[in-house]
């Protein structure tokens, strides 16, 4: 099969707000091959969740997808009827939310809702559906799955609720899972456990994964590729090693330099100075300009996404082999820099 599993082209998602129309996702393009993990990072409000919701067909008014294409196995999801999208969702693409109660129904026992989730897409008996539910809980590393099946969500810990939500997402062994900061609210130990369970699951099942996080260090250990979002746009993307070791966008460099592991112990964490722009009244040019030590008059224009470093170096030696998204950067003055931080 020669086409990527998912190809997002020039996606634009807008919200009508009292302050005006906001482009929460602006000209976002992403490519995801089968079995690969894409980390989508950026600070709060940069458009990560809305990108995920847009792919899942879950943007509700006052929001709407205003442009672009979302090709899943070559089919544009934006052209599907709502009923067709519902058939796809849960079966072939699934989402894990930051709050597991977005998935779980508080008044139903776990078995009832997992059986319902199975039978929504497969004509199987309740007994068979329950068996699949139990097996999938076990697959998620959940001890005593039989007991968990009989529990109500409120009887489970936060970490266990999220594991159950992930098991529900895995029920139909979808080819794509979008995980929207599913471990952010959990304590570090549980976070690490869930992370490694999910990593193992997607590995074993060849599932493609988009892992959304504001925390670059979480994503760096998990992803094959990284896309960094800022103010609704992807500003840098590429293979994880290229982006982490050779970041060329001042914002990505700032994110990396502000990681706790890159800061001396006991000293104040370095931070990117300033705040992200108001999306209801965005600057005409580069959205990062007000915070950028490298900004020049050229940056009053919108910088295009360009291959990095330079187009010659990006010519693949074997165009057919391994179609990894090449390293690309949206910056007029891309390059190594030290001055991104205060
Ligand atoms: N329901 C909504 N109504 C109005 N604006 C919204 C809504 N949801 C998101 N937005 C806008 O989209 C931007 C991006 O949101 P989001 O994708 O949730 O950011 P992230 O997940 O990166 O923190 C927000 O800053 C906000 O301007
Ligand atoms: S385009 Fe200009 S303002 Fe924007 S990140 Fe690059 S150097 Fe900074
Ligand atoms: Mg979010």
């Amino acid at each position: 099969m020669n086409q990527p599993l998912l190809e997002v082209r020039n996606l634009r998602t807008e919200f009508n707000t009292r302050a005006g129309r906001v482009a929460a996702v602006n000209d976002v393009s992403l490519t995801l091959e089968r079995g690969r993990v894409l980390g989508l990072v950026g600070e709060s409000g940069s458009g990560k969740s809305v990108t995920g919701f847009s792919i899942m067909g879950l943007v509700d008014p006052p929001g709407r997808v205003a442009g672009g294409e979302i090709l899943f196995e070559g089919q544009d999801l934006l052209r599907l009827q709502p009923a067709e999208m519902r058939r796809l969702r849960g079966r072939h693409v699934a989402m894990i939310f930051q709050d597991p109660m977005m998935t779980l129904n508080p008044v139903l026992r776990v078995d009832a809702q997992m059986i319902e989730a199975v039978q929504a897409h497969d004509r199987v008996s309740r007994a068979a559906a329950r068996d699949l539910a139990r097996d999938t809980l076990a697959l998620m590393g959940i001890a005593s799955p039989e007991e968990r099946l009989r529990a109500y969500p409120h009887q489970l810990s936060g970490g266990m609720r999220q594991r159950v939500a992930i098991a529900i997402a895995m029920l139909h062994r979808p080819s794509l899972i979008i995980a929207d900061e599913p471990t952010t609210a959990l304590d570090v130990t549980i976070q690490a456990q869930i992370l490694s369970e999910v990593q193992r699951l997607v590995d074993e099942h060849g599932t493609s994964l988009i892992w959304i996080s504001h925390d670059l260090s979480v994503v760096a250990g998990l992803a094959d590729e990284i896309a960094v979002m800022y103010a609704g746009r992807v500003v840098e993307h590429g293979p994880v090693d290229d982006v982490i070791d050779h970041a060329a966008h001042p914002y990505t460099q700032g994110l990396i330099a502000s990681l706790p592991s890159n800061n001396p112990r006991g000293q104040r964490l370095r931070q990117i100075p300033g705040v992200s722009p108001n999306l209801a009244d965005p600057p005409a040019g580069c959205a990062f300009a007000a915070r950028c030590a490298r900004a020049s008059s050229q940056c009053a224009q919108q910088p295009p996404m360009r291959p990095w470093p330079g187009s010659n170096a990006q010519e693949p030696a074997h165009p057919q082999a391994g179609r990894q998204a090449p390293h690309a950067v949206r910056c007029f003055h891309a390059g190594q820099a030290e001055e991104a931080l205060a």
Side-chain angles (χ1 to χ4, degrees):
M1 253 177 284
N2 224 352
Q3 75 205 2
L5 180 74
L6 177 75
E7 212 176 339
V8 176
R9 291 186 188 152
N10 312 109
L11 178 68
R12 182 180 176 91
T13 304
E14 300 175 342
F15 286 89
N16 282 319
T17 70
R18 260 181 296 167
R21 187 171 292 170
V22 163
V25 172
N26 198 344
D27 196 19
V28 163
S29 298
L30 300 167
T31 302
L32 186 59
E33 300 290 338
R34 285 178 174 71
R36 303 194 57 91
V37 179
L38 170 72
L40 192 56
V41 298
E43 64 198 7
S44 174
S46 56
K48 308 181 297 296
S49 294
V50 175
T51 299
F53 286 129
S54 302
I55 295 168
M56 294 293 298
L58 292 175
V59 175
D60 293 322
R64 72 180 187 108
V65 175
E69 290 172 305
I70 299 173
L71 303 172
F72 179 74
E73 298 183 324
Q75 183 179 38
D76 189 356
L77 301 187
L78 296 177
R79 293 171 181 274
L80 292 186
Q81 297 298 317
E84 294 173 302
M85 192 63 212
R86 274 196 298 278
R87 272 200 292 279
L88 194 88
R89 196 164 49 224
R91 185 182 196 88
H92 300 292
V93 300
M95 189 151 179
I96 309 168
F97 303 94
Q98 181 166 352
D99 178 1
M101 294 314 287
M102 294 272 288
T103 302
L104 299 176
N105 183 335
V107 302
L108 288 182
R109 276 183 11 178
V110 169
D111 53 1
Q113 39 197 316
M114 290 190 80
I115 289 168
E116 191 180 295
V118 175
Q119 290 184 327
H121 295 289
D122 285 333
R123 286 191 182 195
V124 293
S125 69
R126 278 185 72 80
R130 197 171 189 284
D131 285 349
L132 178 64
R134 193 190 43 239
D135 293 349
T136 310
L137 289 180
L139 198 72
M140 210 26 235
I142 293 177
S144 339
E146 197 40 65
E147 226 171 279
R148 308 300 182 198
L149 279 176
R150 286 193 297 269
Y152 287 91
H154 70 87
Q155 295 171 313
L156 305 174
S157 68
M160 190 54 70
R161 268 182 232 155
Q162 192 57 285
R163 282 197 167 86
V164 171
I166 295 168
I168 290 176
M170 281 301 291
L171 274 176
H172 297 279
R173 312 294 188 258
S175 37
L176 171 65
I177 290 185
I178 300 178
D180 188 3
E181 312 222 25
T183 60
T184 300
L186 304 172
D187 81 60
V188 181
T189 323
I190 310 283
Q191 215 179 90
Q193 284 170 1
I194 292 187
L195 216 62
S196 77
E197 290 297 344
V198 171
Q199 205 159 15
R200 187 179 53 77
L201 272 186
V202 298
D203 247 24
E204 283 174 10
H205 296 273
T207 316
S208 302
L209 179 66
I210 298 180
W211 189 282
I212 295 175
S213 178
H214 66 279
D215 186 340
L216 186 61
S217 58
V218 167
V219 158
L222 180 78
D224 301 303
E225 280 145 44
I226 287 188
V228 180
M229 287 191 74
Y230 187 78
R233 285 188 161 89
V234 173
V235 296
E236 179 154 14
H237 72 65
V240 60
D241 294 342
D242 289 1
V243 173
I244 300 290
D245 298 337
H246 307 287
H249 195 285
Y251 176 63
T252 315
Q253 288 163 354
L255 284 182
I256 291 169
S258 59
L259 290 176
S261 54
N262 288 335
N263 282 264
R265 247 189 235 204
Q267 280 184 25
R268 192 178 62 89
L269 269 190
R270 288 181 292 173
Q271 281 185 342
I272 305 169
V275 293
S276 51
N278 174 7
L279 288 180
D281 185 20
C286 174
F288 192 62
R291 306 172 75 178
C292 183
R294 261 183 265 164
S296 73
S297 55
Q298 194 180 11
C299 308
Q301 312 286 317
Q302 182 55 235
M305 199 73 176
R306 281 194 296 225
W308 174 259
S311 49
N312 291 337
Q314 290 299 315
E315 289 298 339
H318 308 284
Q320 305 308 327
R323 222 176 355 189
Q324 258 202 338
H327 191 182
V329 184
R330 189 186 285 282
C331 174
F332 289 119
H333 308 297
Q336 310 290 331
E338 302 295 323
E339 72 275 33
L341 289 181

